[in-house]
């Protein structure tokens, strides 16, 4: 038997080790795409198959050239995404600031908690879309209304988790503060925030997903501004089914990246419990 | 020394969820001196942590006050720093930052450099310089607790409070940390209060040990002074003569608390049957050969024969258990040393005088004095040799063991020493030690010898640790050994039960007295319920007529002419001896006390109903081996003729009028 070259040997080793983690998702995704393409080709559904992203010339252009800008609303997907993301950034930041602030207040104060918790639990259940008409009435303009929808959708997990994190500060840590006679301010910065941080980050991570969901919904019903939601709405109006598919894939990918980003931040900042 | 902490009549109750209050602590009074190390010990839920938290100011008492340096404790503060059981370190900070957090908070007036120096000094003090930059989660439990202690000490508290600081650590780490803490406390003269459930830890570290009773309404059940000199070494304190007696004192206390709790958990109805007022009895005994009549009455059905259907024998580990059981009424009756009825009636146990009645003497003789084999190696074979030995080695302390101050062992040993010109309080030191402990103490040389009943003399001889120097029949042949004792109010409430109990035990005594039954008795007593030791170690004596070896053999009398009838003159002799050694003052009203202690009537009734015509028999006068006659008509003159004695007093003992137990 001849000895295999070392690089080839390593590859075989690597494949042996990782095939269990690589093969199943490949089969899963491949199988799903195949099923989708077959059902589209056989006419089982009017939805165009995944191959249409490439076969439709208009869609292929959109896929290959995300950075074009022909003025007005005729832009590449990157620009649509950027304006959506900037709205999310605004609404989400606002939600984070208000959510963490109110969460701490509610977590520290039993009476406040009793007063507002039912309200929070109730508002939390309202779907993002239901907020759109209310937001439009409140602000009379698309841009602030969209930001408000993001804000009101994504605030609840942050608020509720923060409040829980503050309530869950171990009595031991509180006793340390008590025995050392810490000032309120020092307690806040030295004990409360570090102790509640993991909870706060859990809330932030759940919320970023919700915020991204909300922006699409808001843009679809509030057309006329650039954004990925508008892009889908526009394609829908024009009957470009493959464009819609592309938009949806784009949305999923961005959402996934946002979530990973928050997860990474979480492990970086909120370690040690 | 000045008082640092004063806990004054503190009570604490917690509101319960379903309404009402749970009274956790009640009437706690405690003064803690500067530089003292105090342990709080008790069963879980006894409120020891609550008490600590109230001293810390983390919790406020609902009654009474806690003073620190004369000021009421109203809130927690760095002057009374707490070391918590689960360390309470902040996991997001490193070791250094955790300590610095406290130092920065408490010492804002120091410069940053000075604060740093304090932090580094204390990291070094607990030997954690190598781990200063690690977060606590990377450290072992022992290291974390060291950080917590360093943090507490860094802010220089007046008072250090430790809540089961080593509870979660393995034994080895715990031992090291205990020594470290002790060393730090000694060097810095810290005042500390520690909650613990570890008896050895409490004895090792403390100056005083505060024992708390079970809740609800926990109280201080006792405070022990630990007289072991400092600095202490963990491995050496166990050789100090006080170590095991302190340890057994605490364990006794904790077991007693547990037993009372179990007793309270059971329903306690008085069952009246067969014309007897109460047939369910709890009878206390301690595992000695002299408990034979109780074991026999149970095994041979004498209790049931006389209508006592539900008699439970309760094994106690020390005579104190019998005393406490009668005091708190968890026992109906008990086997007791013959001095105990008068001793308790005169208040010798330290509480109110509690009249005790005895209607039956269960055994006579059976005791002896054993000295350690190492004394025999030094040529000690008689009491004169021992006296010379004491003179020769008078710089050393000489301890002799007794089981109880009111036992005949104490009185006979003292009498024997005193008559041989050895002052039992000056020339030697007499210490109360549980019987099972005596043999171990004899073995490791911490005591010279002891006076005790069988099987402990025979065992020491057989195992080669000791030799019999004198037997009790050479001191006072036929002295009363163990008696049956009940509370006077109990005897008045259940007169027919008392007679039935006396009858059952008298019959058992007769059974025990027959040498033909001794093998059977040894087998019976070797059972785990009674003595739990090898059968051949339990001996009652040799058949009549063979008294060749008077100090080697037990000569226990269980039954016979004049053996069982309670004798006033004997109890008077006991009263004079108890007074002679200042266990009690000599009662001016001794005639009344003897009248109430010796229930001759119950004995006579029981004997007559059994057909034993013992009533007319009287024992002769009391004269011990030294030939000094005992004058029962003038006990005070008798006391004054004795050359060696303590400064005894004569006083009226307030025993009150006889009262019936309210049922």
């Amino acid at each position: 038997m001849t000895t295999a070259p070392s690089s080839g040997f390593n590859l075989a080793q690597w494949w042996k080790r990782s095939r269990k983690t690589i093969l199943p998702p490949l089969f899963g995704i491949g199988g799903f795409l195949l099923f989708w393409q077959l059902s589209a080709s056989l006419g089982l559904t009017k939805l165009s198959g995944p191959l249409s992203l490439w076969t439709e010339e208009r869609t292929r252009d959109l896929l290959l050239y995300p950075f074009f800008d022909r003025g007005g609303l005729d832009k590449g997907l990157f620009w649509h995404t950027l304006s959506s993301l900037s709205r999310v950034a605004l609404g989400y930041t606002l939600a984070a600031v208000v959510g963490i602030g109110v969460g701490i207040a509610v977590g520290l104060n039993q009476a406040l908690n009793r007063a507002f918790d039912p309200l929070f639990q109730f508002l939390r259940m309202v779907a993002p879309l239901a907020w759109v008409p209310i937001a439009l009435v409140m602000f009379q303009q698309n841009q602030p209304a969209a930001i408000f929808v993001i804000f009101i959708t994504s605030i609840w997990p942050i608020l509720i988790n923060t409040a829980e994190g503050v309530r869950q500060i171990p009595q031991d840590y509180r006793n340390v503060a008590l025995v050392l006679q810490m000032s309120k301010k020092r307690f806040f910065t030295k004990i409360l925030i570090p102790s509640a941080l993991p909870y706060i980050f859990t809330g932030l991570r759940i919320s970023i997903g919700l915020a991204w969901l909300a922006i699409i919904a808001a843009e679809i019903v509030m057309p006329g501004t650039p954004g990925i939601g508008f892009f889908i709405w526009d394609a829908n109006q024009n009957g470009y089914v493959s464009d819609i598919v592309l938009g949806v894939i784009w949305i999923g990918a961005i959402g996934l990246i946002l979530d990973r980003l928050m997860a990474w931040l979480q492990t970086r900042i909120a370690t040690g419990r | 020394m000045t008082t640092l902490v004063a806990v004054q009549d503190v009570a604490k109750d917690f509101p319960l969820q379903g309404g009402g209050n749970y009274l956790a602590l009640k009437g706690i009074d405690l003064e803690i001196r500067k530089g003292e190390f105090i342990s709080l010990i008790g069963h879980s839920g006894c409120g020891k942590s609550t008490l600590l938290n109230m001293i810390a100011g983390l919790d406020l008492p609902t009654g009474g006050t806690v003073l620190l340096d004369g000021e009421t404790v109203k809130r927690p503060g760095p002057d009374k720093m707490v070391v918590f059981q689960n360390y309470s370190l902040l996991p997001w900070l490193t070791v250094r930052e955790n300590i610095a957090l406290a130092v920065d908070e408490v010492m804002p007036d120091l410069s940053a450099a000075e604060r740093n120096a304090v932090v580094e000094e204390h990291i070094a003090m607990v030997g954690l310089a190598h781990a200063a930059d690690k977060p606590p989660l990377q450290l072992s439990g022992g290291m974390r607790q060291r950080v917590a202690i360093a943090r507490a000490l860094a802010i220089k508290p007046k008072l250090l409070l430790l809540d089961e600081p080593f509870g979660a650590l393995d034994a080895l780490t715990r031992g090291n940390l205990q020594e470290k803490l002790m060393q730090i406390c000694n060097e810095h003269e810290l005042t500390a209060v520690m909650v613990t459930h570890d008896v050895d830890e409490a004895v090792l570290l403390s100056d005083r040990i505060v024992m708390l009773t079970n809740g609800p309404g926990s109280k201080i059940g006792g405070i022990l002074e630990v007289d072991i000199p400092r600095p202490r070494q963990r491995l050496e304190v166990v050789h100090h003569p006080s170590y095991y007696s302190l340890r057994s004192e605490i364990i006794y206390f904790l077991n007693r608390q547990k037993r009372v709790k179990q007793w309270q958990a059971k329903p306690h109805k008085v069952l009246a049957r067969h014309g007897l007022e109460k047939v369910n009895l709890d009878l206390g005994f301690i595992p000695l050969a002299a408990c034979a009549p109780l074991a026999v009455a149970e095994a041979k059905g004498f209790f049931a024969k006389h209508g006592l259907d539900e008699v439970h024998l309760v094994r106690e580990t020390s005579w104190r258990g019998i005393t406490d059981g009668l005091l708190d009424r968890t026992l109906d009756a008990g086997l007791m040393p013959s001095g105990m009825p008068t001793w308790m009636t005169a208040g010798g146990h330290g509480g109110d005088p509690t009249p005790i009645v005895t209607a039956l003497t269960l055994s006579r003789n059976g005791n002896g004095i054993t000295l350690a084999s190492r004394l025999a190696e030094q040529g000690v074979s008689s009491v004169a040799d021992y006296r010379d030995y004491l003179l020769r080695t008078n710089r050393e302390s000489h301890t002799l063991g007794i089981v109880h101050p009111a036992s005949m062992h104490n009185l006979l040993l003292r009498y024997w020493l005193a008559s041989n010109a050895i002052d039992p309080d000056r020339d030697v030191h007499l210490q109360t030690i549980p019987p099972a402990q005596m043999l171990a103490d004899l073995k490791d040389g911490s005591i010279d010898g002891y006076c005790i009943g069988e099987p402990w003399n025979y065992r020491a001889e057989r195992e080669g640790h000791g030799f019999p120097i004198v037997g009790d029949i050479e001191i006072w042949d036929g002295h009363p050994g163990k008696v049956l004792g009940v509370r006077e109010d109990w005897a008045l409430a259940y007169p027919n039960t008392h007679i039935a109990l006396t009858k059952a035990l008298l019959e058992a005594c007769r059974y025990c007295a027959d040498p033909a039954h001794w093998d059977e008795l040894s087998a019976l007593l070797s059972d785990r319920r009674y003595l739990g030791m090898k059968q051949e170690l339990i001996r009652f004596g040799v058949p009549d007529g063979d008294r060749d070896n008077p100090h080697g053999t037990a000569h226990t009398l269980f039954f016979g002419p004049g053996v069982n009838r309670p004798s006033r003159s004997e109890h008077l002799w006991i009263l004079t001896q108890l007074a002679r050694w200042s266990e009690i003052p000599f009662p001016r009203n001794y005639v009344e006390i003897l009248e109430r202690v010796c229930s001759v009537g119950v004995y006579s009734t029981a004997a007559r109903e059994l057909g034993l015509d013992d009533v007319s028999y009287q024992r002769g006068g009391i004269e011990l081996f030294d030939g000094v006659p005992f004058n029962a008509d003038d006990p005070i003159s008798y006391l004054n003729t004795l050359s060696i004695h303590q400064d005894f007093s004569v006083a009226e003992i307030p025993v009150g009028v006889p009262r019936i137990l309210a049922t």
Side-chain angles (χ1 to χ4, degrees):
Chain A
M1 210 176 132
T2 54
T3 46
S6 68
S7 65
F9 183 72
N10 280 345
L11 193 70
Q13 279 279 307
W14 172 84
W15 176 243
K16 205 172 175 182
R17 261 185 287 118
S18 2
R19 67 176 175 198
K20 276 195 181 142
T21 50
I22 289 176
L23 277 183
L26 273 183
F27 273 116
I29 295 169
F32 168 71
L33 290 176
L34 191 69
F35 172 75
W36 181 5
Q37 184 60 44
L38 278 177
S39 27
S41 311
L42 295 173
L44 293 176
T45 169
K46 288 267 182 279
L47 183 68
S48 41
L51 281 180
S52 65
L53 297 185
W54 194 258
T55 52
E56 290 277 342
E57 196 192 339
R58 188 189 62 258
T59 314
R60 190 170 65 214
D61 285 350
L62 282 168
L63 185 65
L64 292 177
Y65 309 107
F67 296 108
F68 75 88
D69 185 353
R70 298 192 193 107
L73 294 173
D74 191 5
K75 293 174 178 179
L77 274 173
F78 173 80
W79 302 112
H80 283 295
T81 308
L82 197 66
S83 40
S84 290
L85 277 177
S86 69
R87 255 175 237 126
V88 166
L90 255 169
Y92 180 72
T93 307
L94 210 59
V97 169
V98 176
I100 292 172
V102 176
I104 289 172
V106 168
L108 284 176
N109 191 323
Q110 262 301 321
L112 267 184
N113 181 45
R114 291 216 184 89
F116 290 108
D117 189 61
L119 187 66
F120 295 156
Q121 297 296 340
F122 168 79
L123 292 178
R124 188 166 75 92
M125 288 301 159
V126 179
L129 270 182
W131 286 109
V132 172
I134 293 176
L136 284 172
V137 171
M138 278 167 72
F139 295 99
Q140 302 290 329
Q141 279 173 10
N142 276 355
Q143 181 72 359
I147 290 168
F148 175 77
V149 170
I150 293 165
F151 167 80
I152 205 76
T153 312
S154 58
I155 191 172
W156 308 117
I158 301 176
L159 196 161
I160 290 165
N161 271 286
T162 303
E164 189 59 20
V166 170
R167 271 194 294 272
Q168 293 293 330
I169 296 175
Q171 189 59 42
D172 289 337
Y173 303 169
R174 290 177 189 273
N175 282 343
V176 170
L178 279 172
V179 171
L180 293 177
Q181 293 281 286
M182 277 190 176
S183 65
K184 279 241 158 64
K185 193 179 135 225
R186 293 259 299 173
F187 172 71
F188 197 81
T189 54
K190 296 283 174 184
I191 292 186
L192 185 142
I193 293 292
S195 177
L197 209 57
Y199 285 84
I200 295 175
F201 261 90
T202 307
L204 286 174
R205 191 176 161 189
I206 298 171
S207 284
I208 193 86
L210 284 180
W212 185 242
L213 291 184
I215 186 63
I216 310 299
E219 285 172 358
I220 287 177
V221 289
M222 292 186 281
T225 48
I228 193 88
F230 163 77
F231 171 82
I232 289 177
W233 184 81
D234 190 44
N236 181 45
Q237 294 292 306
N238 295 319
Y240 302 151
V241 181
S242 56
D243 283 15
I244 299 177
V245 171
L246 178 66
V248 166
I249 291 174
W250 198 266
I251 288 169
I254 299 290
L256 194 67
I257 289 168
L258 284 176
D259 185 67
R260 292 288 105 191
L261 204 69
M262 284 311 291
W264 176 76
L265 263 181
Q266 193 172 13
T267 53
R268 283 302 300 271
I269 295 175
T271 45
R273 267 198 74 76
Chain B
M1 272 204 262
T2 49
T3 302
L4 182 67
V5 180
V7 179
Q8 294 170 342
D9 194 28
V10 156
K12 176 77 187 173
D13 50 27
F14 294 103
L16 291 176
Q17 281 200 328
N21 277 314
Y22 178 79
L23 181 63
L25 291 161
K26 197 178 92 180
I28 305 283
D29 278 300
L30 182 64
E31 293 216 334
I32 300 169
R33 297 183 290 270
K34 246 184 196 118
E36 224 183 352
F37 196 112
I38 301 271
S39 288
L40 304 177
I41 200 165
H43 285 291
S44 1
C46 74
K48 50 192 191 299
S49 290
T50 307
L51 180 56
L52 190 85
N53 283 344
M54 288 193 289
I55 299 175
L58 288 168
D59 220 338
L60 292 178
T62 44
T65 46
V66 179
L67 299 176
L68 175 67
D69 254 354
E71 279 177 42
T72 307
V73 172
K74 287 182 187 145
R75 64 183 72 82
D79 52 344
K80 35 196 184 298
M81 185 65 188
V82 188
V83 175
F84 299 95
Q85 183 182 10
N86 31 13
Y87 326 125
S88 292
L89 300 174
L90 305 177
W92 51 86
L93 300 179
T94 64
V95 167
R96 182 179 283 117
E97 288 166 343
N98 261 294
I99 300 172
L101 178 77
V103 173
D104 293 348
E105 194 63 48
V106 177
M107 303 171 169
D109 299 338
L110 297 185
S111 71
E114 284 169 319
R115 289 201 298 258
N116 262 336
V118 171
V119 172
E120 296 303 328
E121 176 200 336
H122 286 87
I123 293 175
M125 178 198 275
V126 293
L128 281 175
H130 61 285
D133 291 313
K134 289 186 180 165
L137 284 180
Q138 288 180 17
L139 306 181
S140 67
M143 289 164 91
R144 285 185 216 174
Q145 193 58 292
R146 267 146 73 188
V147 179
I149 290 171
R151 178 177 63 183
L153 295 176
I155 59 172
K156 310 254 181 298
K158 283 183 200 164
L159 178 65
L160 184 65
L161 300 163
L162 305 123
D163 191 355
E164 297 199 19
F166 312 126
L169 304 178
D170 64 276
L172 197 65
T173 314
R174 189 185 310 170
N176 290 336
L177 270 190
Q178 284 165 348
E179 294 219 323
K180 190 92 214 171
L181 177 65
M182 217 166 12
Q183 186 197 331
I184 292 170
C185 284
N186 282 353
E187 280 169 15
H188 297 78
E189 290 173 353
L190 279 172
T191 312
V193 180
M194 176 180 72
V195 165
T196 183
H197 56 252
D198 182 331
V199 174
D200 294 294
E201 180 172 288
V203 177
L204 174 67
L205 294 175
S206 313
D207 295 308
R208 283 191 296 160
I209 300 169
V210 176
M211 301 181 290
L212 293 171
T213 63
N214 276 342
S218 299
K219 297 185 292 290
I220 292 179
I223 298 181
L224 294 176
E225 298 264 354
V226 181
D227 57 350
I228 303 174
R230 292 182 187 275
R232 297 174 189 163
Q233 295 290 319
R234 197 160 51 88
L235 298 174
E236 282 163 23
V237 289
V238 296
H239 298 301
H240 192 274
S242 295
Y243 185 81
Y244 279 103
S245 55
L246 285 166
R247 200 175 178 282
S248 57
E249 184 92 353
I250 300 170
I251 290 173
Y252 169 79
F253 176 85
L254 295 175
N255 282 337
R256 181 91 218 140
Q257 292 303 312
K258 200 159 90 190
R259 178 163 294 172
V260 170
K261 197 172 186 176
Q262 285 165 351
W263 190 83
Q264 283 166 347
K266 286 188 296 186
H268 285 279
K269 272 193 269 181
V270 173
L271 299 178
R273 251 179 243 162
H274 321 299
L276 302 178
E277 300 87 354
K278 189 172 194 285
V279 299
N280 52 331
L281 304 180
D282 286 325
L283 245 60
F285 74 99
I286 76 167
L288 282 171
C291 77
L294 275 72
V296 163
E298 184 181 54
K300 294 279 158 193
F302 293 135
F303 288 134
K305 179 180 168 191
H306 295 283
L308 301 166
D309 296 339
E310 294 180 32
V311 175
H312 299 286
L313 296 189
V314 180
R315 187 166 113 165
E316 299 283 353
T317 49
S318 69
W319 291 120
R320 222 178 114 192
I322 307 276
T323 309
D324 288 345
L326 287 171
L327 287 176
D328 61 23
R329 298 192 168 89
T330 51
L331 293 176
D332 290 286
L335 173 78
M336 51 174 67
S338 47
M340 198 179 266
T342 46
W343 177 76
M344 282 181 76
T345 305
H349 55 283
D352 292 334
T354 308
I356 298 292
V357 168
T358 176
L360 185 66
T361 302
L362 290 160
S363 69
R364 290 172 184 271
N365 297 344
N367 302 315
I369 298 172
T370 289
L371 291 183
S373 298
R374 68 186 156 85
L375 280 112
E377 288 156 17
Q378 307 233 10
V380 176
S381 64
S382 68
V383 65
D385 297 338
Y386 185 55
R387 191 170 51 232
D388 291 344
Y389 170 76
L390 288 177
L391 284 173
R392 220 166 47 231
T393 57
N394 62 357
R395 295 235 181 90
E396 297 164 26
S397 76
H398 294 279
T399 303
L400 292 169
I402 52 165
V403 284
H404 194 273
S407 78
M408 220 47 196
H409 310 114
N410 179 29
L411 303 182
L412 288 179
L413 176 63
R414 283 171 178 273
Y415 194 98
W416 176 74
L417 289 169
S419 296
N420 287 298
I422 300 172
D423 188 317
D425 290 303
R426 294 201 180 82
D427 301 330
V428 290
H429 169 66
L430 264 54
Q431 190 165 12
T432 304
I433 306 172
Q437 182 60 39
M438 286 189 183
L439 200 57
D441 283 354
L442 196 68
K443 207 189 306 186
D444 75 11
S446 60
I447 59 173
D448 275 5
Y450 50 66
C451 178
I452 197 176
E454 287 305 325
W456 301 103
N457 294 306
Y458 182 56
R459 264 190 78 167
E461 190 184 358
R462 242 182 86 117
E463 292 170 18
H465 305 309
F467 68 98
I469 180 107
V470 66
D472 57 358
I473 62 171
E474 296 166 285
I475 303 174
W476 177 3
D477 192 3
H479 70 84
K482 304 293 176 286
V483 300
L484 171 70
V486 300
R487 291 174 68 107
E488 186 186 53
D489 51 7
W490 185 95
L492 293 171
Y494 311 117
N496 290 320
T497 299
H498 194 195
I499 291 170
L501 181 63
T502 307
K503 278 158 75 178
L505 288 173
L506 187 54
E507 250 194 288
C509 283
R510 183 168 61 180
Y511 189 90
C512 292
D514 186 346
H517 294 147
W518 286 350
D519 280 346
E520 184 195 351
L521 286 187
S522 301
L524 176 65
L525 290 187
S526 68
D527 188 90
R528 282 186 49 210
R529 279 184 301 155
Y530 306 112
L531 273 66
M533 61 173 69
K534 285 190 198 123
Q535 189 179 338
E536 63 263 29
L537 293 172
I538 306 167
R539 305 184 318 155
F540 299 96
V542 287
D544 268 349
D546 182 10
R547 291 193 154 200
D548 297 342
N549 181 9
H551 50 253
T553 321
H555 303 276
T556 316
L557 298 174
F558 287 113
F559 184 79
V563 167
N564 305 103
R565 189 177 199 270
S567 153
R568 290 195 187 100
S569 52
E570 282 170 4
H571 285 284
L572 179 58
W573 182 87
I574 287 166
L575 271 180
T576 60
Q577 298 299 315
L578 287 170
R580 178 184 183 184
W581 308 118
S582 256
E583 303 288 358
I584 55 167
F586 187 78
R588 191 171 288 129
N589 51 338
Y590 71 91
V591 177
E592 182 199 358
I593 285 183
L594 293 174
E595 200 63 42
R596 283 167 68 174
V597 166
C598 295
S599 189
V600 183
V602 169
Y603 171 79
S604 302
T605 310
R608 202 167 45 243
E609 287 183 11
L610 287 174
L612 305 166
D613 199 17
D614 190 41
V615 181
S616 63
Y617 188 84
Q618 289 284 334
R619 287 189 77 85
I622 296 170
E623 191 177 306
L624 276 69
F625 73 104
D626 56 357
V628 176
F630 171 62
N631 182 0
D633 296 329
D634 191 356
I636 295 175
S637 309
Y638 165 76
L639 266 174
N640 282 320
T641 62
L642 300 169
S643 54
I644 297 180
H645 57 71
Q646 291 229 330
D647 298 331
F648 61 86
S649 59
V650 181
E652 180 89 11
I653 306 284
V655 282
V657 288
R659 274 187 305 151
I660 299 182
L661 176 67
T663 50

